[in-house]
């Protein structure tokens, strides 16, 4: 499938595959996020938008969604993820990463990449660096000195659409367990 340009209108959806936290994990992420000493002007990610992107897809014609949804159901084995490494990346991106990436997450990333390749979606060129984004424009922000790791028992993943709204809402299209 050739993905249309980002200038296309509502006949396309801007999609990605993500680990979507349950209420307990989302609460822990918000607690961790709120422990940072945020610089003035930092744009914090809303609690309902916190997630870990596994594969970015891009713009997809909506009429391809039924086939794509079915094609992204890959074998999945639940795994444990520990988020415990706060980092401030270049250009002011504040993130929380796993100190060690579990084999289950790497296997899911690979399987979804292969499924997307069958649709003609090119894999991201950058190395996979799993993380949850807490804020943008956060240069000068200081992460907490010490926080307990967030234990996340991952039971599935989701196909998500990035909505074209001013607030940057997300909509889960399909959950896979």
């Amino acid at each position: 499938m050739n993905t249309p340009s980002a200038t296309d209108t509502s006949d396309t959806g801007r999609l990605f595959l993500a680990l979507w936290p349950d209420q307990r994990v989302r609460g822990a992420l918000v607690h961790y996020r709120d422990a940072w000493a945020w610089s003035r002007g930092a744009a914090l990610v809303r609690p309902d938008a916190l997630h870990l992107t596994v594969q970015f897809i891009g713009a997809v014609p909506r009429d391809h969604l039924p086939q794509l949804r079915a094609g992204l159901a890959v074998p999945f084995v639940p795994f444990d993820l520990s988020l415990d490494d706060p980092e401030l990346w270049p250009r002011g991106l504040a993130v929380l990463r796993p100190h060690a990436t579990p084999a289950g997450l790497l296997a899911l990333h690979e399987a979804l990449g292969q499924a997307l390749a069958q649709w003609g979606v090119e894999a991201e060129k950058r190395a996979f660096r799993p993380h949850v984004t807490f804020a943008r424009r956060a240069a000068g922000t200081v992460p907490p000195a010490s926080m307990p790791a967030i234990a996340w028992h991952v039971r599935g993943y989701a196909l998500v659409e990035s909505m074209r709204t001013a607030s940057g809402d997300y909509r889960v299209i399909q959950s896979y367990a």
Side-chain angles (χ1 to χ4, degrees), residues 56-77:
F56 178 74
I57 300 171
V60 174
R62 291 189 188 284
D63 60 353
H64 289 144
L65 279 176
Q67 299 90 348
L68 182 63
R69 288 168 65 167
L72 293 175
V74 300
F76 178 81
V77 176

Side-chain angles (χ1 to χ4, degrees), residues 8-31:
D8 290 334
T9 57
S10 63
D11 60 339
T12 63
R14 187 168 185 263
L15 308 178
F16 62 95
L17 291 152
L19 303 183
W20 207 254
D22 61 23
Q23 195 169 27
R24 183 197 64 78
V25 171
R26 188 171 305 282
L29 288 168
V30 170
H31 179 72

